[in-house]
Amino acid sequence: MKSLLNWRYYVIYALLAIGIVSVLAIFSEEDRPLAQWIEVRVYLALIATVSFYVMNRLRIRWESRGEIPELKSNE
């Protein structure tokens, strides 16, 4: 029940969703000129990389402070 009320989990899940949607969008089919196609893929890759990086840094910080103990426990 604690994990449902902990807002940190929602932040982690939102960043994970943004990253996954960006990665899936990289592999989508589009009819664009090559320059625009590459530009869109680069932006999507940057969005995915930044969201996964921020998610990981926040997870490490919150685990070290003990603010998300449910992820750390192996029970």
Side-chain angles (χ1 to χ4, degrees):
M1 184 64 179
K2 271 186 174 179
S3 63
L4 290 176
L5 300 176
N6 195 344
W7 61 271
R8 291 168 186 88
Y9 289 109
Y10 297 113
V11 172
I12 289 173
Y13 295 143
L15 289 170
L16 180 65
I18 291 169
I20 289 173
V21 168
S22 297
V23 168
L24 291 175
I26 289 173
F27 299 108
S28 66
E29 297 277 333
E30 291 181 9
D31 291 332
R32 293 181 186 247
L34 182 61
Q36 287 180 353
W37 187 84
I38 291 172
E39 183 180 3
V40 168
R41 295 311 184 267
V42 168
Y43 288 146
L44 288 170
L46 285 173
I47 290 170
T49 303
V50 167
S51 67
F52 288 141
Y53 177 77
V54 170
M55 179 188 68
N56 188 43
R57 295 297 299 168
L58 286 174
R59 182 192 56 84
I60 290 170
R61 180 177 179 170
W62 290 334
E63 277 184 354
S64 68
R65 291 182 177 186
E67 295 173 340
I68 50 174
E70 290 84 5
L71 285 181
K72 200 171 188 180
S73 67
N74 292 331
E75 298 174 7

